[in-house]
Amino acid sequence: MKNKIILGVTNLSFHQLTASIITHVLVDMGFEVERIYSPHQENFEKLKSGDIDMLTSAWLPSSHGIYKSDVEEKVELLELGLHYKPYALWGVPDYIPESAVSEVKDLLKPEVISRMNNTIQGINPGAGITRFSIKMMEIYGLNNAGYRFYTGSEEDCFDAFEQAVENKEWVIVPLWKPQFLHHKYNIRKISEPEGLLGIVDRAVLLLRQDKSINFTQEQLETLNALKFSNEIIAELDYQVSREGKAIDEVTKQWLSQQS
């Protein structure tokens, strides 16, 4: 069906949020949209195989560049829009003094080791922040110091942080922006001098070149003109993830305020 678009969505809350905005825009263009939710790497495999037509949002070049390159060995891709400028970070609650922990190597101080929760709870294995964090554990000698990094679900990561904050524990959260926790909590980014967390990425919509014939030039220009921000995505994500509002209603209301 020419006017049906299969949209791949990385199955994390803020990606779902952006996909909801994109879906409204595509529906307004006259497309029928089916959203398929998958983990990071699997989504790119589906883009490569043609199981999905578009993917939102790819973080380039750091987090998802290796996956995009793999797809481009088979099919050309168009990058559209600038949804936000994401970046990975390790953060701590702002009640931990900066004089105690300002950069990753400070986690090796005996007085910090004695107070810091030694569990660093991450998200799924295919995420950029997970790959980066596993490397950091090794390079900085954190495994040898007794810290342990665990993969898990989004909620495993966020619940561990929120529970720790509630108890005023010293805790490390491997996170990123945009993310809804930043909307509620003051999370202080700690410095990572080795550059293992990548750079500030561009979050973009990827479209298979062979599917671009389904769009007019004007429609492609509309998609390319879409620009949000870390703060907008974090705020809307918070409304959905912590206030329990319906995702498509939240994004529809936000879009109506932009016109």
Side-chain angles (χ1 to χ4, degrees):
M1 187 186 299
K2 185 179 178 182
N3 66 340
K4 180 175 181 180
I5 293 294
I6 303 177
L7 179 63
V9 187
T10 298
N11 202 15
L12 296 172
S13 64
F14 58 97
H15 284 301
Q16 294 166 10
L17 198 290
T18 310
S20 177
I21 298 175
I22 301 297
T23 297
H24 286 308
V25 173
L26 291 169
V27 168
D28 286 346
M29 289 177 177
F31 291 99
E32 176 192 340
V33 182
E34 178 185 354
R35 282 172 270 187
I36 293 182
Y37 302 92
S38 307
H40 299 77
Q41 196 168 356
E42 189 178 318
N43 248 328
F44 283 87
E45 290 166 1
K46 288 179 178 176
L47 190 64
K48 186 175 183 178
S49 67
D51 289 341
I52 61 175
D53 305 318
M54 310 177 87
L55 171 62
T56 183
S57 305
W59 290 15
L60 304 173
S62 293
S63 287
H64 302 156
I66 57 171
Y67 304 142
K68 177 176 180 273
S69 297
D70 180 64
V71 177
E72 289 178 317
E73 289 179 6
K74 182 175 181 182
V75 62
E76 193 175 341
L77 299 173
L78 283 180
E79 295 180 21
L80 298 167
L82 179 61
H83 298 165
Y84 46 87
K85 294 181 179 179
Y87 57 90
L89 61 99
W90 272 21
V92 295
D94 64 349
Y95 53 75
I96 298 179
E98 194 166 355
S99 58
V101 180
S102 67
E103 61 178 286
V104 177
K105 71 178 183 182
D106 290 337
L107 300 175
L108 299 174
K109 295 176 181 174
E111 63 271 26
V112 173
I113 291 173
S114 67
R115 293 200 61 177
M116 189 70 71
N117 186 325
N118 67 359
T119 294
I120 303 174
Q121 180 61 58
I123 58 168
N124 69 66
I129 181 61
T130 301
R131 299 197 321 271
F132 302 155
S133 296
I134 290 170
K135 188 73 172 173
M136 286 168 63
M137 296 293 292
E138 175 192 339
I139 296 297
Y140 284 97
L142 296 171
N143 291 312
N144 294 337
Y147 293 98
R148 293 293 177 264
F149 179 85
Y150 295 96
T151 58
S153 68
E154 254 192 312
E155 286 307 315
D156 289 335
C157 175
F158 308 155
D159 288 349
F161 176 77
E162 291 187 299
Q163 188 64 53
V165 170
E166 193 175 316
N167 297 328
K168 280 286 187 285
E169 286 179 38
W170 283 29
V171 67
I172 307 147
V173 60
L175 207 56
W176 57 89
K177 282 192 173 185
Q179 207 288 318
F180 68 78
L181 290 175
H182 296 286
H183 185 66
K184 180 176 180 181
Y185 301 97
N186 290 319
I187 302 171
R188 182 167 56 78
K189 175 185 173 184
I190 61 175
S191 172
E192 194 283 288
E194 297 293 330
L196 300 176
L197 282 167
I199 60 174
V200 176
D201 276 341
R202 293 172 292 106
V204 300
L205 182 65
L206 291 182
L207 170 64
R208 285 176 60 106
Q209 180 74 53
D210 56 5
K211 298 293 183 178
S212 65
I213 58 170
N214 296 338
F215 294 85
T216 66
Q217 187 58 37
E218 184 181 0
Q219 288 171 334
L220 290 175
E221 287 170 5
T222 297
L223 291 171
N224 197 40
L226 292 175
K227 288 180 173 59
F228 318 125
S229 72
N230 291 351
E231 292 71 29
I232 288 167
I233 297 300
E235 180 180 353
L236 299 182
D237 189 9
Y238 187 84
Q239 290 179 32
V240 175
S241 297
R242 285 297 179 264
E243 295 179 355
K245 297 180 181 178
I247 187 167
D248 288 338
E249 289 304 312
V250 165
T251 53
K252 189 173 185 178
Q253 182 178 10
W254 180 80
L255 274 168
S256 69
Q257 295 167 352
Q258 308 312 303
S259 53

